[in-house]
Structure formats: C-alpha cells, structure tokens
Amino acid sequence: MHSHYGINRLSRMRVKDLGKLLIEAAKKESEDSLWERWVRLCPYMEIGQMKFISFDDYKKALIKPIVKLSEKTSEEIVEEMMAVATAYESQRSG
C-alpha cells in the first residue's frame, strides 16, 4: 500500500473502505508481479525465440475468471457484508 496510508489512518477507516483499499492493493500487487514476469520474457520475444504477446494478452491468459462459490447474487452478498460492517462499526463506536 502507498506510504500515506499509515497505521493510524488505516485504524480509523471504515471497514468497507478498508476492504476496498485492500482489494485494490492486492490487484496492484498482482499486476506488478505479472508485469515483472512479462518484462523478463521481452528479450526472448525480441530475438524471435518466443512469439510476441502483448502485456494485456499475457495478463488475460494468466488471470482466470473468478469461480462462483455461492448461489447468492453479488447484491445479496454486499447487503450481508454491509450489515456485518454496520454492526462492527456500531460496536467499535459504542
């Protein structure tokens, strides 16, 4: 995470905002890792040892769609999690 998210600021964040931040940080870390791997392949693509593949195509090939583990809609899941977050925040401030 970016350095301006110190522990004091993170501890004051609402649960749902912290969750969003963590998801974005994980996505960024994953994309950075894929980028580094792709860059290491570039010399082989440049000399013709490997067929060229764009970074976007490389990323699409390696990132698989999320498998659905629940029969609930995303709206139902969000509604449930918002109730949990609200209960947690009311206990925390209470």
Side-chain angles (χ1 to χ4, degrees):
M1 281 187 238
H2 195 274
S3 61
H4 75 273
Y5 287 106
I7 191 69
N8 290 331
R9 181 165 183 208
L10 292 174
S11 66
R12 292 187 307 249
M13 290 180 80
R14 295 183 308 175
V15 173
K16 69 179 182 178
D17 293 335
L18 185 58
K20 289 178 186 176
L21 181 65
L22 290 172
I23 289 169
E24 289 304 312
K27 286 180 184 177
K28 175 77 171 110
E29 187 175 291
S30 175
E31 185 160 327
D32 288 351
S33 175
L34 287 174
W35 174 259
E36 290 172 14
R37 290 171 54 188
W38 180 81
V39 165
R40 281 188 238 125
L41 297 175
C42 284
Y44 300 102
M45 291 187 277
E46 288 176 358
I47 63 172
Q49 263 188 330
M50 286 180 69
K51 180 181 173 194
F52 178 80
I53 182 170
S54 70
F55 175 68
D56 285 336
D57 290 342
Y58 179 76
K59 185 168 73 168
K60 286 176 190 172
L62 292 177
I63 297 178
K64 305 295 179 209
I66 296 172
V67 177
K68 188 174 181 179
L69 300 176
S70 173
E71 294 302 316
K72 294 180 181 181
T73 65
S74 57
E75 289 82 15
E76 290 171 321
I77 294 169
V78 168
E79 191 174 300
E80 279 185 31
M81 294 314 301
M82 290 304 293
V84 170
T86 301
Y88 172 79
E89 287 182 1
S90 67
Q91 283 182 345
R92 189 171 144 193
S93 64

